Amino acid sequence: MDNIIIIAVAALGGLGLVAAIVLYFIASKFKVIEDPKIDLVEESLPSANCGGCGYPGCRAFAEATVKQAKDERHLEGLNCPVGGNDVMQTVGKILGLEVEQQAPLIAVVRCNGSKANSPAKINYEGATSCTFAHALYAGEGGCPHGCLGLGDCVVVCEFDAIHMNDELGLPIVNDKCTACNACVEACPRDIIELRKKGPKGRRVFVSCINEEKGGIAKKNCEVACIGCSKCVKVCPHDAITMDNFLAYIDFEKCKLCRDCVEVCPTNAIHEVNFKPRKPKVPKEEKPKPKEASVVETIAEAAPSKENKEAPKEN
Amino acid sequence: MSMLTVSGSPHIHGDDSTKKIMYGVVYAMIPAMLVSVYYFGLDALRVLLIASVACLFFEWVIQKYLIKGPITITDGSALVTGILLAFNVPSNLPTWMIIIGALVAIGMAKMSFGGLGKNVFNPALVARVFLLISFPVQMTSWPKPQAIINGLTDAITGPTPLGIVKEGLGAGKTMSELAPELPDYMQTMVGQMGGSLGEVSAIALILGGIYMLVRKIITWHIPVSMLLTVVIFSGIFWGVDPEHYADPVFHLLTGGMLLGAIFMATDMVSSPMTKGGQLVYGFGIGLLTILIRMWGAYPEGVSFAILLMNAVVPLINMGFKPKRFGAKPGVVIKTS
Amino acid sequence: MIGTVKTFSLGGVHPEENKLSANAPIEKIPVPKQAFIPMGQNLGTPSKPVVSKGDLVKVGQLIAEASGFISTNIHSPVSGKVLKIDDIVDASGYKRPGIIINVDGDEWDESIDLSDDIKEDIELDGKEIIEKIKEKGLVGMGGATFPTYVKMMPPPGKVAEYLLINGVECEPYLTSDHRLMLEKGKEILIGTRILMKALNVNKAIIGIEINKLDAINHLNELAKKYEGIKIQPLKVQYPQGGEKQLIKAALNREVPSGKLPIEVGCVVQNVGTAFAVYEAVQKNKPLIDRVVTVTGKGVKKPSNFLVRIGTPLQDMIDAVEGFPETTGKIINGGPMMGKALISLDVPVVKGSSGILLMEEGESKRKPESPCIRCSKCTYVCPQGLEPFLLSKASKLAKFDMAEKEKVMDCIECGSCQYTCPASIPLLDYLRLGKTMVGANIRNRNKK
């Protein structure tokens, strides 16, 4: 009886030993020599594998960073939007390079064609896919540029940062947004744009991308940009341009004075995270459409730490 | 004028629906249900009712309180599972065991995979096998069928023909010695033999199968390839040694062979998608069934065979693609 | 008597035919007060206007010219003054460039032969015919609007052996081709001869489904006079009107995946195109009008109209005694492959084969339920695809898988979605898959 046990142990042990030796030699023969910095860089990354940097996953980004640092001695053009400045600084430290501070960005939905502002004229039946619906027709409200509300942006978001508000029929971005660009690419109508988050999360933007003539745009949506150019004239910083009946605020130039918000006749320009205005302006202030304020309150309701820490120079 | 609708084409729909398919299966099972009530009496009715109601109830409970999603018990799929479960147990099975079976079928085999259309295994069969392994005594003591018109006496229990053969051959008897104990073909055709509720009458099952073929609920591929495999495979052994192997017709008509071939293996959810795949799937079930029947521990192998092949279905689906249009390179054109 | 009835072998469905307007002769509709002519009336690049605001135009005068290889000329369907060159809302609600003409009288260009005589002799040679077809702005009249002349020029190394004329009209409801074959049979046959000459083939087959027996018999009678033209009766089976399915049915040849019919020596043209070819070559008339079926279960007088391009749909609705209150959907084309319109404020274009007003209940989609893996979609797919798999792949954004499983072979016939017992919008997702895979392939080719 004892014999059997000894034989069994010896046989199995011997097998294991032989296998271990073989494995050792194979492992040493096929060993891949990698820069250990790649591992270090990868560890410092957020491991979200979102692809926001343009590389397929964090590992690939780490490899690209180390390679570029070695070959070109700078990290320009490489940015982990999720990790932001902190992570890029760490990466720079690992690679012994200076990294420029970058202002944090956030995804901004530039459409306010909610169910109330742009009432449905037609009923859509079919796949829950903006890309498909975009190829099929202009949209329930009739605006060929407006949000279709089927949530392609929501599906691609890896950070739980964009959600469809059923009441509005519009997606709403919250502060979890890391500006990974996924929703921007998913939107078939290019409604979503990455803009500077702004100091304390304050930003001003035109919430419309309709390039139709004013009358036509207004017919489909109450809060469309009608291309009246009032904002262009009033802007003291030359930050607003008007192309194809559509105003665009350059966030690099905008100083957040909010003059344009006041003059916009259709309330197409939105201000976010500002304190309520002092009632010093005697002009009668048109009440904003309800929806616009909802967007703001949602964003305001959850002011994150990041916002407060945002660099002042913006 | 109401609001116009926009959608992609097509703008019309054939009037087929999941509900129609499921209730079609239920209608196809009516002959077998009637036969079971005729031979096993009110007990059969009890099993049918309890299994169906329990399946519907569990589906409702799970959808309402666990998933908190839409309630879809009216689509008929739970009813089909319930009746199939009843078909797969003896008529004297205690009520509480049937309820456990229903819970296993709906809760474990169906809803835990994500509900209708997502389950890998046939729910009724999972429940049957679960019961068979958990309660082997109760699951294998079948009442002898007695026509209901002969009065409702206490049923005598006895083994199925397959059980007789397995035991007999195991004890060293030959087929000709066992013959007097076995029902003749006529009896197996109408259902006068021991067995689970739904499997006894070949005629009733074939009627149901024809109905489903006509309604295009099933295609011929799975049943035919499965039964043909059984006939050929068992035929070879029978031809070589008829004293130690049962003949192919016996294999076809006894046990759950027809029930399995017509109602269980053809379950849409757990069978392959292409006709080529279905032929392979049927072949696999036939082969495994005979292997289990001849050399396995259990006298009956249909349910195990189907479950085993269910597990292979994803692989079959990957390997067998439909014949693609234009897969061949173009014809050579004669230039005149 | 009519010969062997053939059909294609793989898949197919048979929806309710509902050919309500089959017995309504083709009627002419009065010229509209204002014509809206979109520039994108063909598959490919839109045309470029050559008139400007205020110009006076005659019927048949060139108003926009082709702007690329796959593009066509557009001729004025009306006479009058160009009101403006501006965006026109198209059938999907998008703005597209177009020309709006205020109609004044009905003065035709002098070069067009307006007589009713049928001109049999084909004077032009092959090259001139193709040039004529190109000049007169002909596109495929079946709905795909592919420029006809492009199809008539086989790529180098490829030779046409057969000309197939598509008179299948497998779409339910539509009857415009049917009526055209009955009323303009002779012209269609001459048009076929012209196409044969241009292609340098001596065999032509006109495929017609046997639910149009009268058309089969009529053309059979007429075709005796024309050498090389055979009328092929076909079993009623959708989507037999698809090019690939028609070739398979008539000749038992399979166009290889991703290739054109010329690969198996075939060129397919619609009967409407054959008629337009006759008019263009023999009568010098550009493509300025077409036969359009206006039908629907609620329509009081389902009809077939000969209507000028650019006529607002509303004009035709008036001609069938009004818009039914119960309409839930307006479709340009048939119910299987047609496009849902957002309103009646869109004009007739070269590709409009029918206007179908669907009842609210008829067009309503049933709620989607889970896939029960019945594989009926696989059985009916005429291309041998697995729609359930492809739609799932597209839904989950697995476009590489969709590509591997040949999503690009889908002909968008809708048989899968028509059959699906779970009412899953299979084709919606297949289209999504095709869009994304197509974009991926283009990106790859660019690199």
Side-chain angles (χ1 to χ4, degrees), chain C residues 103-207:
Chain C
V103 179
D104 183 19
D106 196 27
E107 195 187 331
W108 286 61
D109 198 272
E110 295 80 23
S111 61
I112 301 168
D113 176 2
L114 287 170
S115 66
D116 282 335
D117 322 331
I118 289 173
K119 203 172 146 201
E120 298 260 2
D121 299 325
I122 305 160
E123 286 155 8
L124 306 181
D125 68 16
K127 251 197 171 143
E128 288 167 339
I129 292 171
I130 293 175
E131 202 44 50
K132 200 69 154 180
I133 289 173
K134 182 178 179 184
E135 184 200 324
K136 296 301 174 192
L138 265 56
V139 298
M141 302 287 271
T145 65
F146 193 78
T148 305
Y149 81 95
V150 182
K151 265 193 187 177
M152 300 299 291
M153 299 194 294
K158 304 274 191 287
V159 184
E161 188 189 355
Y162 279 98
L163 168 69
L164 270 83
I165 300 293
N166 189 344
V168 176
E169 202 159 57
C170 56
E171 276 273 5
Y173 287 99
L174 300 188
T175 56
S176 53
D177 289 352
H178 183 189
R179 289 313 304 180
L180 203 62
M181 286 189 282
L182 282 178
E183 294 177 33
K184 305 282 180 190
K186 223 168 190 173
E187 288 90 332
I188 290 172
L189 292 172
I190 299 169
T192 309
R193 286 296 305 178
I194 296 170
L195 287 167
M196 285 164 75
K197 188 171 178 185
L199 279 170
N200 196 19
V201 299
N202 50 20
K203 284 174 281 189
I205 298 172
I206 304 184

Side-chain angles (χ1 to χ4, degrees), chain C residues 9 64 71 103 118 135 168 190 212 230 268 276 317 332 371 395 399 428 433 435 444:
Chain C
S9 54
S71 184
V103 179
I118 289 173
E135 184 200 324
V168 176
I190 299 169
K212 294 178 271 291
K230 185 189 162 206
V268 184
I317 302 299
N332 178 13
C371 171
K395 198 174 182 174
F399 298 113
D428 288 8
T435 314
R444 258 206 315 269

Side-chain angles (χ1 to χ4, degrees), chain A residues 95-139:
Chain A
L95 299 170
L97 292 170
E98 279 287 304
V99 179
E100 259 181 68
Q101 287 270 350
Q102 293 206 335
L105 300 175
I106 189 166
V108 172
V109 180
R110 294 178 297 164
C111 176
N112 194 21
S114 64
K115 285 176 183 170
N117 290 336
S118 174
K121 297 186 188 69
I122 205 147
N123 173 31
Y124 169 77
E125 268 183 349
T128 323
S129 158
C130 304
T131 312
F132 172 72
H134 172 66
L136 187 69
Y137 79 128

Side-chain angles (χ1 to χ4, degrees), chain B residues 79-301:
Chain B
L79 188 60
V80 170
T81 303
I83 297 173
L84 279 178
L85 172 63
F87 273 13
N88 271 301
V89 298
S91 62
N92 59 352
L93 198 71
T95 301
W96 63 272
M97 283 188 196
I98 303 170
I99 293 175
I100 287 180
L103 183 60
V104 169
I106 295 296
M108 208 167 99
K110 188 177 170 192
M111 298 317 274
S112 63
F113 283 91
L116 179 61
K118 314 271 194 326
N119 49 301
V120 182
F121 300 103
N122 186 324
L125 277 181
V126 171
R128 178 201 150 93
V129 167
F130 180 89
L131 291 176
L132 185 64
I133 295 170
S134 313
F135 314 107
V137 178
Q138 289 87 338
M139 279 296 283
T140 50
S141 55
W142 287 273
K144 281 236 160 80
Q146 273 182 317
I148 201 164
I149 38 171
N150 295 347
L152 292 164
T153 52
D154 274 345
I156 318 151
T157 60
T160 60
L162 280 171
I164 298 169
V165 170
K166 182 117 227 167
E167 215 161 286
L169 292 177
K173 290 187 189 169
T174 61
M175 281 306 287
S176 40
E177 284 167 3
L178 291 169
E181 295 176 47
L182 297 173
D184 61 33
Y185 292 145
M186 202 50 221
Q187 285 172 317
T188 55
M189 285 300 277
V190 296
Q192 209 172 354
M193 61 174 177
S196 299
L197 273 192
E199 64 187 29
V200 289
S201 168
I203 290 176
L205 291 169
I206 291 169
L207 268 180
I210 291 170
Y211 174 77
M212 289 201 292
L213 275 174
V214 171
R215 285 268 320 261
K216 292 189 177 164
I217 294 171
I218 59 170
T219 58
W220 57 267
H221 302 77
I222 295 174
V224 168
S225 85
M226 170 176 164
L227 297 177
L228 215 59
T229 310
V230 166
V231 168
I232 293 171
F233 199 62
S234 62
I236 292 171
F237 283 91
W238 178 68
V240 172
D241 185 2
E243 280 304 313
H244 288 99
Y245 294 99
D247 62 287
V249 184
F250 175 82
H251 276 296
L252 276 194
L253 296 178
T254 55
M257 186 62 78
L258 285 173
L259 177 65
I262 294 168
F263 288 101
M264 312 293 251
T266 55
D267 171 35
M268 286 169 170
V269 177
S270 53
S271 62
M273 304 293 280
T274 57
K275 288 173 177 165
Q278 289 171 357
L279 290 176
V280 172
Y281 173 76
F283 169 78
I285 295 174
L287 196 68
L288 285 172
T289 306
I290 292 299
L291 286 178
I292 296 170
R293 277 192 181 181
M294 285 180 177
W295 297 293
Y298 285 94
E300 172 59 310

Side-chain angles (χ1 to χ4, degrees), chain C residues 60-341:
Chain C
Q61 187 183 327
L62 185 75
I63 53 171
E65 59 179 18
S67 66
F69 181 59
I70 302 185
S71 184
T72 49
N73 290 342
I74 296 176
H75 301 77
S76 177
V78 292
S79 64
K81 199 175 185 179
V82 176
L83 176 69
K84 56 181 172 177
I85 295 166
D86 197 4
D87 288 349
I88 299 175
V89 178
D90 75 353
S92 327
Y94 292 112
K95 307 245 168 359
R96 305 275 186 234
I99 298 174
I100 303 170
I101 300 173
N102 268 341
V103 179
D104 183 19
D106 196 27
E107 195 187 331
W108 286 61
D109 198 272
E110 295 80 23
S111 61
I112 301 168
D113 176 2
L114 287 170
S115 66
D116 282 335
D117 322 331
I118 289 173
K119 203 172 146 201
E120 298 260 2
D121 299 325
I122 305 160
E123 286 155 8
L124 306 181
D125 68 16
K127 251 197 171 143
E128 288 167 339
I129 292 171
I130 293 175
E131 202 44 50
K132 200 69 154 180
I133 289 173
K134 182 178 179 184
E135 184 200 324
K136 296 301 174 192
L138 265 56
V139 298
M141 302 287 271
T145 65
F146 193 78
T148 305
Y149 81 95
V150 182
K151 265 193 187 177
M152 300 299 291
M153 299 194 294
K158 304 274 191 287
V159 184
E161 188 189 355
Y162 279 98
L163 168 69
L164 270 83
I165 300 293
N166 189 344
V168 176
E169 202 159 57
C170 56
E171 276 273 5
Y173 287 99
L174 300 188
T175 56
S176 53
D177 289 352
H178 183 189
R179 289 313 304 180
L180 203 62
M181 286 189 282
L182 282 178
E183 294 177 33
K184 305 282 180 190
K186 223 168 190 173
E187 288 90 332
I188 290 172
L189 292 172
I190 299 169
T192 309
R193 286 296 305 178
I194 296 170
L195 287 167
M196 285 164 75
K197 188 171 178 185
L199 279 170
N200 196 19
V201 299
N202 50 20
K203 284 174 281 189
I205 298 172
I206 304 184
I208 307 170
E209 287 190 345
I210 51 167
N211 57 358
K212 294 178 271 291
L213 262 183
D214 47 357
I216 296 175
N217 289 330
H218 179 65
L219 287 185
N220 253 333
E221 199 56 44
L222 293 175
K224 284 174 191 157
K225 251 181 68 193
Y226 299 93
E227 201 196 327
I229 301 179
K230 185 189 162 206
I231 315 296
Q232 176 61 58
L234 300 165
K235 198 182 150 206
V236 183
Q237 181 95 309
Y238 180 87
Q240 199 144 238
E243 276 189 337
K244 294 180 175 183
Q245 276 62 40
L246 179 61
I247 296 170
K248 177 80 181 168
L251 292 167
N252 196 24
R253 290 184 182 180
E254 257 185 53
V255 181
S257 160
K259 295 282 168 49
L260 294 169
I262 193 71
E263 202 75 13
V264 291
C266 296
V267 171
V268 184
Q269 298 285 6
N270 188 267
V271 284
T273 317
F275 178 65
V277 165
Y278 164 82
E279 290 201 315
V281 175
Q282 304 293 72
K283 301 273 186 178
N284 206 28
K285 184 185 157 199
L287 183 55
I288 52 157
D289 53 12
R290 67 159 298 145
V291 181
V292 176
T293 305
V294 181
T295 182
K297 285 189 176 149
V299 174
K300 285 204 195 88
K301 208 183 98 199
S303 313
N304 300 293
F305 295 123
L306 181 67
V307 57
R308 299 279 173 88
I309 306 294
T311 307
L313 297 189
Q314 188 63 49
D315 284 21
M316 286 199 292
I317 302 299
D318 293 343
V320 293
E321 294 170 9
F323 188 80
E325 278 298 303
T326 48
T327 303
K329 212 182 227 182
I330 308 168
I331 293 158
N332 178 13
M336 290 300 281
M337 286 189 79
K339 193 169 170 13
L341 304 182

Side-chain angles (χ1 to χ4, degrees), chain B residues 30-53:
Chain B
I30 287 176
M33 281 192 250
L34 293 178
V35 169
S36 71
V37 174
Y38 179 78
Y39 279 121
F40 300 112
L42 289 177
D43 246 4
L45 206 59
R46 173 189 65 100
V47 175
L48 277 166
L49 269 178
I50 288 170
S52 313
V53 171

